Amino acid sequence: MRLGTYYKVEGQTKVLTDPDTGRKIKVGGSNTSTIVITEVMPKYSRAKIIEGNKDLKVGQVCRRTQVKIVAASPSGEK
């Protein structure tokens, strides 16, 4: 992990078995939050939630993403 890296946190998925083929299918895993790494330690990292659901749980998946930063316009401008 690197300082300043953004991640999308996905909800937990369920695994279903297709009754015809017997194949395993993952269902769910929608994006719930975006976090940014704020501190990196030898065995763990800390992050700040910058958007989305603030109720994160153990077992959710983090996938690295890119976030576009948009500067706020001065007051009175649109």
Side-chain angles (χ1 to χ4, degrees):
M1 298 227 157
R2 292 189 177 156
L3 188 66
T5 305
Y6 289 85
Y7 289 86
K8 287 283 188 186
V9 181
E10 298 179 354
Q12 292 185 346
T13 60
K14 293 181 182 179
V15 178
L16 303 176
T17 303
D18 183 308
D20 294 329
T21 64
R23 294 182 71 184
K24 304 284 184 191
I25 303 169
K26 289 184 180 180
V27 178
S30 62
N31 290 338
T32 59
S33 304
T34 303
I35 60 173
V36 62
I37 303 300
T38 58
E39 197 173 348
V40 178
M41 305 295 197
K43 295 190 178 197
Y44 66 93
S45 296
R46 291 185 183 187
K48 177 180 177 182
I49 299 171
I50 58 170
E51 124 184 311
N53 188 350
K54 300 198 183 318
D55 186 27
L56 301 179
K57 307 239 186 270
V58 172
Q60 289 181 287
V61 176
C62 295
R63 299 196 191 277
R64 192 172 50 181
T65 187
Q66 294 180 352
V67 175
K68 294 180 182 176
I69 306 296
V70 179
S73 63
S75 60
E77 285 186 31
K78 289 188 177 181

